[in-house]
Amino acid sequence: MIFNTEMELMPIDKLRTVQNERLVSTLQRAYNNIPFYKDLYDQAGVNLSEIKSVNDLHKLPFTKKNHLRENYPFGMLAVPQTELSRVHCSSGTTGKPTVVAYTKNDIEVFSEVVARSLAAAGCKPGMKLQNAYGYGLFTGGIGIHYGAEKLGMAVVPISGGGTEKQIMLLKDFQAEALTATPSYALTIAEELKKRGEDIRDFNLKVAVLGAEPWSEALRSEVEQGLNLKASNIYGLSEIIGPGVSNEDFEEQGTGSYIWEDHFFPEIVDKVTGEPLPYGEPGVLVLTSLTKEAMPMVRYWTGDITTLTYEHSEKRTHIKMGPIIGRADDMMIIRGVNFFHTQVADILPDFPQLSANYQVVLTRPKNMDAVEVGIEINPSYFNHYGIPFDDLNGGAPDEVKKLISNIQKKIKDNIGLGMAVKLYQNGSLPQSDGGKLNRILDNR
Ligand code: ADP
């Protein structure tokens, strides 16, 4: 379903006109009200009157996460604090969090883009949505909540965790939709299997999953386990929160529509920062076009993806591919370039494993060492009667053989020797927002 036909189907030249007008007023707002932007542009020698359209954006310097940190807590505001409606923090795990703030109208925009996203994912007015995103400082929980209400859904604000209760309420309330991180949706799916629940006792039709990278393998496990269609939602606090883009459930795998009338996307080279043509992978850079409290101009997301209009069938807006890595994420381990997504790529070869993994880096004796933690697929283990109480130390021969096969595959495909440790379903440590950190760098 299309939530806002006027904006989502707007002809592209008209959309450009809207974007250009909004960009000019965003730049004025930022320059006139935020000393950070005034200094940034003055020092770069930019004359803002020369920036008339989104095509001129590349002349401006980037805004980066450290700029937000340096202006903690309210230095990036373009409005007096008395005009704020809400303040959130991003789920940063180190140092001071990144603060983001919203006016009443910003909350309206946030709800609008989430409503569009949920509708694209197959949600409809009248459906019940169990929202298993964390409520709190993290933008996910309340952000989804407001958008779902705007769409006309009934929200069950259960927040993250408490899998047993999640399952009980999904069954008793017969919610048609679930929002969660993909790793948590998988935890629910696996717990259902483990408990021998009959999926026919549930009424789920769609899941809208995001806030962390996930793979097609994970999608199919969640879709099969919960008997629904799972779509991707993408976003980041600095730009608004979840709902910057969303996949259409009938166009799965072809990318997520970016709501271009509110967020203008560019792809740039991760080293030079130069703009790249559509279709080429690079860093996603986003400019907010309507945000009042905290306009963001050319925000360097660090997320690596592609942009293209090629697959935009139902709407005029551009699509972004899945996040294939982070600009700061490529690791060089003992001389080998390594992205943790390379681990995700080999997991489907092992039916004994789930798609949840975590890469832990350490440096014993000044040499980088990598350990991959992987959650097992409990239904497989149950089926074959392999005990999994003690997966690692003193494991039975089958498990030892499995671990050595995974190690061999990693060595062959990635070119690095890594230790492998198996975990029970749902037991890899998650961050506060319920996200599974794919990389723990303890070096
Ligand atoms: P949020 O509160 O929306 O999760 P954060 O600022 O805490 O925002 O984290 C945003 C980051 O999370 C993004 O820059 C990206 O790296 C990651 N992320 C969010 N959604 C997705 C997604 N669907 N796929 C991959 N990564 C995602």
Side-chain angles (χ1 to χ4, degrees), residues 217-233:
L218 205 157
R219 190 203 307 261
S220 58
E221 280 190 48
V222 170
E223 289 195 333
Q224 279 165 28
L226 296 176
N227 191 29
L228 46 66
K229 276 270 197 189
S231 310
N232 182 47
I233 185 164

Side-chain angles (χ1 to χ4, degrees), residues 254-268:
T254 62
S256 305
Y257 287 104
I258 300 183
W259 310 120
E260 267 199 85
D261 49 324
H262 294 291
F263 318 111
F264 185 79
E266 299 168 83
I267 290 285
V268 303

Side-chain angles (χ1 to χ4, degrees), residues 227-291:
N227 191 29
L228 46 66
K229 276 270 197 189
S231 310
N232 182 47
I233 185 164
Y234 167 86
L236 63 165
S237 316
E238 293 87 332
I239 296 300
I240 204 143
V244 170
S245 75
N246 209 96
E247 223 175 7
D248 187 291
F249 76 112
E250 288 172 330
E251 299 175 9
Q252 270 188 349
T254 62
S256 305
Y257 287 104
I258 300 183
W259 310 120
E260 267 199 85
D261 49 324
H262 294 291
F263 318 111
F264 185 79
E266 299 168 83
I267 290 285
V268 303
D269 185 280
K270 74 171 180 200
V271 179
T272 65
E274 289 303 313
L276 291 173
Y278 290 150
E280 279 190 35
V283 176
L284 178 67
V285 170
L286 291 166
T287 296
S288 72
L289 297 175
T290 48
K291 275 237 307 257

Side-chain angles (χ1 to χ4, degrees), residues 65 88-92 98 100 102 110 133 137-141 181-182 209-214 231-245 256 284 299-304 320-326 433 435:
K65 194 163 186 103
H88 276 290
C89 294
S90 94
S91 49
T98 313
V100 296
Y102 306 76
F110 192 4
Y133 274 118
L137 287 174
F138 170 63
T139 50
T181 57
L209 312 177
E212 62 185 12
W214 52 309
S231 310
N232 182 47
I233 185 164
Y234 167 86
L236 63 165
S237 316
E238 293 87 332
I239 296 300
I240 204 143
V244 170
S245 75
S256 305
L284 178 67
Y299 186 72
W300 177 276
T301 66
D303 293 323
I304 298 186
M320 59 185 266
I323 304 300
I324 51 178
R326 300 253 328 146
K435 294 194 202 199

